[in-house]
Amino acid sequence: MVSLSWQRCRAILGASLPNRCLLCHQTIAAPHRGVCPTCVANSIYQSEVCLGCGKPLTIAAEYCGSCLHHRPIKVVAPASYHSMLGPLIPAIKYQAQFAALPALTAALVARIQHLVAAELLELPQVVLPVPLHRQRLAHRGYNQAWLIANTLAAQLQLPLDDKLLARTSNTPAQAQLTGKQRRQNLSGAFALTRASPYQRIALVDDVVTTGSTVNEIARLLRTSAPSIQVWCLARAEAPKIATL
C-alpha cells in the first residue's frame, strides 16, 4: 500500500470538503475559496482612507490633513483589522489556517491596483517580506509575510527579494506590548545582509498595528530608498479613528 504524506492527505481531505465561507458559512462558488465575495465586499474599506493613519477620507488623496504635514510611510491595506476579516489573520499567522489567504491577498492586489490607477501610489521596484528570526521560522515552519509577498509579487509581476533583510534578534512577540514597548523590543532587531540596490520598496507584512516593525526596517533602508511603502492584509487603526 502506498503511504501518503500528511500534507497530501490534508490536501485531499480539503478538496473533498464543501467550500464554505469562513465568515457566513454559505457555500462558495468556484473559483472563490475561503471567504465569499459578499463577505469580502462588506469587510473592505467602504471609502477612501488616509494612507498614513487609516482615517476615512471623503475624496481620494494620499493623506489626511494631519498626516500631510509629516507624510508618514504609506500603508496599503484592503481592510481594517477591526473588520470581520481581522480574526482570520491570526489564524493564518499562528495556526497555519491558509483558507482565507487567497481572498485576502486578492483584495490587497485590488487595493494596490486601485491606488496605482488613481495615481496615489507608484509600484515599487521590489517586494520585501518582513523576515522572521530563524528560530521562530523553524518553530512555526513558515513565514506568513513571505507567503503574502510571494503571491503579490507573482500577481503584480514584481521581483521578490527575501535575502536582503534578516532578523537578528529573536524578540518576544509583539501582540501584548504597548507602542513604546514594541519600539524598544524591535530596536536593532533587523539588519541588511548587503547594501540595498533599490530606491522604491514595498515591505510586506500580515498586519500593521503601531508601525514599529516597518519603521525599524525603514530606518535601515532610507539611506538608499527614498520611497518605502507597506503592504499588508489589514491595518489596526487607533481606536479613535472610525472606519466606514
Side-chain angles (χ1 to χ4, degrees):
M1 179 181 294
V2 178
S3 62
L4 296 175
S5 68
W6 164 243
Q7 291 84 356
R8 179 61 176 161
C9 290
R10 192 163 121 178
I12 293 173
L13 179 61
S16 66
L17 293 174
N19 182 22
R20 297 187 181 278
C21 177
L22 293 169
L23 296 176
C24 70
H25 308 296
Q26 297 297 309
T27 301
I28 306 175
H32 304 285
R33 294 196 66 82
V35 186
C36 72
T38 299
C39 284
V40 171
N42 289 333
S43 300
I44 61 175
Y45 289 122
Q46 303 298 305
S47 73
E48 299 294 342
V49 297
C50 173
L51 298 178
C53 66
K55 179 181 179 179
L57 301 175
T58 55
I59 61 172
E62 293 177 300
Y63 297 111
C64 65
S66 298
C67 290
L68 190 59
H69 295 296
H70 60 283
R71 302 181 70 85
I73 294 175
K74 294 179 180 179
V75 176
V76 180
S80 168
Y81 189 72
H82 308 298
S83 71
M84 291 192 302
L85 299 179
L88 301 177
I89 297 174
I92 295 170
K93 185 173 184 175
Y94 298 116
Q95 301 168 19
Q97 295 182 12
F98 302 131
L101 196 54
L104 295 180
T105 52
L108 177 52
V109 168
R111 177 68 176 157
I112 293 167
Q113 292 173 331
H114 164 72
L115 292 171
V116 170
E119 299 183 347
L120 299 176
L121 196 72
E122 184 179 10
L123 284 177
Q125 293 171 290
V126 69
V127 175
L128 303 182
V130 172
L132 285 179
H133 189 270
R134 62 182 181 278
Q135 292 179 359
R136 188 164 298 177
L137 180 61
H139 174 74
R140 189 175 296 171
Y142 63 93
N143 177 3
Q144 72 283 351
W146 186 93
L147 296 175
I148 299 164
N150 187 54
T151 300
L152 295 175
Q155 294 190 14
L156 294 169
Q157 298 183 325
L158 294 170
L160 181 145
D161 189 338
D162 58 2
K163 305 300 183 185
L164 179 64
L165 293 171
R167 189 150 189 166
T168 55
S169 300
N170 190 17
T171 53
Q174 297 276 92
Q176 304 303 320
L177 302 181
T178 65
K180 181 179 180 180
Q181 289 171 332
R182 286 171 185 248
R183 290 189 293 272
Q184 293 173 339
N185 188 42
L186 291 170
S187 179
F190 300 94
L192 298 179
T193 60
R194 66 184 193 280
S196 172
Y198 311 113
Q199 292 76 50
R200 302 192 316 278
I201 293 171
L203 295 174
V204 177
D205 209 352
D206 54 343
V207 64
V208 169
T209 50
T210 64
S212 300
T213 299
V214 295
N215 284 327
E216 181 64 21
I217 294 174
R219 184 183 61 80
L220 298 173
L221 296 168
R222 276 200 182 101
T223 55
S224 62
S227 175
I228 300 173
Q229 54 189 285
V230 181
W231 295 349
C232 57
L233 299 181
R235 68 177 303 162
E237 305 90 350
K240 64 181 179 180
I241 296 177
T243 57
L244 298 180

